[in-house]
Each structure stands twice: as C-alpha cells, then as structure tokens.
Amino acid sequence: MKKAIIKEVVERFREKGPVISIFVDMDRSKKNPREIAIEVKNIYKTTLQELARWQVASESEALKAVFESLFPEIEGCVDGLSKGKAFYVNAASGLFAQYSLPVAVPTQVRVANHPCIFPLMEVLSPHKETLAVIVGAKEARFFRNDGEEVKMLLEVAEDMPAKVKAAGWYGLEERRIERHVEEHILRHLKATAATLKSLVEEEGNNYDLVLVGGNEEYGAIVVELAREATVSVPVEMASELGNVTDPELVREAIFVYTMRRFYEEGEALVGRILTEASKGGQAITGLSGTLKAVNMGAIHQLVVDEHRSVKGGRCDHCDTLISEPSNVCPVCGASVTAEDDLLEAIAHKVLEQDGDVTVLGRPSLLREYEGLGAVLRFPVS
C-alpha cells in the first residue's frame, strides 16, 4: 500500500511548479470538530503565507476546493470518516490529489519543488493492504483492509465459489495433507485456501499480506494449503483476529498485528544494517555515508528512524546531493541549489532509483548514526 501511494504522489507531481503538501489531523478521539475546524482555518492562512514567500498567486481554486472539502468530514456529514488527511496541490497547474490516512498525522503544510512525502511514509510504513480470513469448521469469511476501513468480501460455506472453480484453483482438491480432521472439513479448508489464492491473484487486487484467524487448527491448515499453492504474498496466522466477524473489530485486530509486525521487522532490519555496515558489507550508516551511497545509486532500502530537519544542497547540473554549505558542486563545479530538507531530497532520489524508504517513526539504534541507515545494492567504499 505504501509503495503504491508514494509512487502515485511522486509521479503525479513531477511537473514544474511549487507543490503544496498539506496534512490534517482528523482524529476525533483527541479533538472535537470545532477544534479541528479552527486548526484547518489556521493552516489555510499558513498556506497562503507560504505561497506568498514563493511569489505564487494565492487565489487558487484547487486550493480552496481542498479546504472546503474538509469541513463536511470534520462535521461528520460523510461516511467513512478518516483519522488523517493528506493533500497535494501543484500551485501552478492546479492539479491536486487527496488521501485518507489510517491514523492521525500532525497538522502541517509544506511548500517545495517536490511533494513532501515523509509524513505520508511514516503513517503508511506499518500498514499493508490486507486480506483477512476468519476460518471455522463450516464457513470462512473474507475481509479486505486497505488501511483505512475493512469490508467483508464474501463468505465460503463448505462449497467452492463458482468463480474459483472457473479460475482453475479447484485443483487444490488433489493435494493430500494428512490431518486428523473429517473429510468434509478438509474439503471446506481446501475451498477456503483456493478462494484465498483466487482473491489475491484477481486482477485489480494489490494485497501485501494475508492474515488467517478463527479456529487455530483449521487456520493452520489453510495457511499450509495456501503456501503449498504458492500464494504470491505472505500468508500468516494472526491470533489477534480470533473469531471476530464485525468489520470494525477486524480492522482493530489487523492494526494491532501489523504494528507489532512492523516493530519486529524494523528491529531486525536495523540490526542487519548495523551488522553489515560494521563488516564493510552491503549496508551503510550516517548522513555522509547515505549521501555517498545515494549519489552512486547504491541504495536498495533506506531506513530513517525519525524525520528531522537537515539542510543541504543539490547540484543543478549532475544532481549530486551535498550536506556541506556550498555554492559550487564538489563533483562537477556547477552551481548548487539549497535544499531546506535534505532527508526529503534523499528519499525522493532513492525512490527515483527504484529503491524503498522505510520510516520507523521512533528512536532506534540508528540514533547513534544520525538516525539513518541503508541496505545497499553493492558495497561502497
């Protein structure tokens, strides 16, 4: 989910012109609608002040539309209320896009030559588009979670849905797995695994993860069947799901599971980076090392513990990023344009090189290395 949204933002706002990035905290568990509305009005004023610094006309219809669209949701007059909102507006062309976020994001506005993506990455890094399957002895319920809301897709009750048979996944019936379960239950579990595979591979679906809950014994068989059928995304048991069937409870269970999973994955990734970097292998730590690696196109995965403001520069000719204040590029001698947020510039460059960026959103062992580390495509010396 994160990759798809970030890629869309970066590609849509490549065209020339300052980009306004607006993030709004819509979490009604912490603020009432009136407080949120006041924040939105204040951020609108701040946006106009930022645009004035860029010498951009403030009478943008797109910008007005963005803020006007917020008030019905603030007042609770629309369905599917979100906890956070992100808006991007090209000040020159009027192109704009909006995204609902699964958790709150601090209200803020940034105007720059590129979209501000760090707040978006921090919010989305733990969240995955998830297919949740609640398995029983006679039925299985399938839910889709896009990070913001959960919808029940279908229910399988012992028999195989017609579209799954048509897709050819009924061949799973031939797979023999020894289990102390009755034959009709095994047929049902095979039908569940086949339906799972069909949904994951259905055109238009972009699941990152499948979570299986419900009866632990039957769920474990479904996981094994799905793996044997080579489902193209990870399929994992999630005890947090239990036997819940209410979509909101499913959403909460998925949130708890994915946050725990993200924390564990983050710890393992940081440990890998530190170990590899200490051996001079395919990892690097610290700002200077990260800059060297990104300028060489060597970063496979950038990891940032917490976003912080770092100033730097970018060469107008060869696109080299530098951290030291300079008017001249140390590589080619061309002029350098100041970068108010060097970490944003690094992240954009990693994405342009088909790398990935993970924002932990918390302190980590990388704090001793300026909060930065990266897995490399090849060692840099």
Side-chain angles (χ1 to χ4, degrees):
M1 179 173 62
K2 179 195 73 175
K3 277 188 176 181
I5 292 177
I6 296 297
K7 182 179 179 181
E8 179 180 303
V9 170
V10 171
E11 288 184 351
R12 288 192 69 182
F13 292 89
R14 284 187 188 279
E15 60 183 280
K16 192 174 182 180
V19 177
I20 310 162
S21 305
I22 303 163
F23 303 91
V24 183
D25 183 350
M26 303 283 284
D27 191 349
R28 292 156 197 79
S29 68
K30 299 176 182 177
K31 302 173 187 174
N32 61 45
R34 183 173 177 275
E35 290 172 322
I36 296 173
I38 291 172
E39 267 197 350
V40 168
K41 290 175 181 176
N42 289 337
I43 206 71
Y44 181 64
K45 294 176 183 176
T46 303
T47 302
L48 297 182
Q49 292 168 358
E50 285 292 304
L51 288 175
R53 289 200 309 113
W54 283 73
Q55 298 181 333
V56 174
S58 61
E59 297 302 317
S60 166
E61 291 303 317
L63 188 61
K64 288 181 181 178
V66 162
F67 281 94
E68 288 173 0
S69 71
L70 281 168
F71 289 100
E73 186 165 343
I74 291 171
E75 294 162 6
C77 303
V78 297
D79 295 329
L81 301 178
S82 54
K83 292 189 175 182
K85 285 282 190 180
F87 297 92
Y88 294 94
V89 185
N90 184 298
S93 69
L95 173 71
F96 74 95
Q98 64 173 307
Y99 301 90
S100 296
L101 305 177
V103 295
V105 58
T107 299
Q108 57 190 288
V109 62
R110 294 277 302 280
V111 181
N113 284 318
H114 47 66
C116 176
I117 57 175
F118 254 99
L120 204 57
M121 287 190 294
E122 183 171 344
V123 166
L124 296 179
S125 283
H127 299 281
K128 300 181 182 296
E129 188 158 335
T130 306
L131 177 65
V133 188
I134 312 300
V135 182
K138 296 183 178 180
E139 74 290 319
R141 296 179 177 87
F142 293 79
F143 297 84
R144 175 181 178 272
N145 174 42
D146 62 3
E148 182 185 3
E149 63 177 345
V150 168
K151 291 181 180 179
M152 183 171 171
L153 298 177
L154 74 156
E155 181 174 349
V156 174
E158 293 197 45
D159 193 19
M160 180 84 67
K163 71 174 184 177
V164 176
K165 291 181 181 179
W169 305 126
Y170 202 58
L172 281 175
E173 190 68 28
E174 303 302 320
R175 299 183 181 276
R176 304 182 62 84
I177 295 182
E178 294 296 328
R179 283 288 181 271
H180 298 293
V181 295
E182 296 177 19
E183 185 59 30
H184 74 280
I185 295 178
L186 186 54
R187 285 198 304 271
H188 158 60
L189 299 180
K190 289 177 178 178
T192 299
T195 305
L196 181 161
K197 181 177 176 70
S198 178
L199 287 171
V200 168
E201 299 186 359
E202 189 175 85
E203 187 175 356
N205 286 341
N206 295 293
Y207 293 111
D208 303 303
L209 178 67
V210 176
L211 297 181
V212 180
N215 180 286
E216 289 189 11
E217 180 185 2
Y218 301 154
I221 295 174
V222 168
V223 170
E224 186 170 346
L225 284 164
R227 289 174 179 168
E228 188 177 342
T230 61
V231 174
S232 56
V233 299
V235 182
E236 303 172 3
M237 282 292 295
S239 60
E240 289 86 350
L241 282 169
N243 287 296
V244 298
T245 55
D246 177 79
E248 181 58 24
L249 294 178
V250 172
R251 187 194 69 79
E252 291 175 3
I254 291 173
F255 177 80
V256 171
Y257 182 90
T258 53
M259 290 301 291
R260 176 173 59 79
R261 188 179 191 268
F262 179 67
Y263 179 85
E264 292 170 353
E265 288 177 342
E267 292 293 288
L269 182 56
V270 169
R272 174 188 169 190
I273 289 171
L274 294 178
T275 300
E276 279 292 307
S278 68
K279 297 188 299 184
Q282 291 184 206
I284 203 81
T285 55
L287 180 59
S288 62
T290 301
L291 277 173
K292 183 176 184 178
V294 75
N295 285 328
M296 295 173 65
I299 293 183
H300 169 66
Q301 183 171 20
L302 175 69
V303 179
V304 183
D305 59 5
E306 294 180 295
H307 180 248
R308 57 187 61 78
S309 180
V310 179
K311 293 186 181 296
R314 182 194 297 269
C315 176
D316 297 328
H317 176 67
C318 69
D319 205 42
T320 295
L321 295 175
I322 62 174
S323 61
E324 299 298 326
S326 176
N327 296 321
V328 178
C329 174
V331 176
C332 70
S335 60
V336 170
T337 298
E339 286 283 352
D340 289 335
D341 193 329
L342 189 57
L343 295 191
E344 274 278 348
I346 292 171
H348 276 268
K349 195 159 186 175
V350 170
L351 295 172
E352 289 168 6
Q353 297 166 351
D354 293 324
D356 188 25
V357 181
T358 296
V359 183
L360 300 178
R362 57 180 171 80
S364 74
L365 293 177
L366 288 174
R367 63 183 177 273
E368 297 181 15
Y369 305 92
E370 300 167 285
L372 284 173
V375 178
L376 304 178
R377 296 187 172 101
F378 50 85
V380 299
S381 56

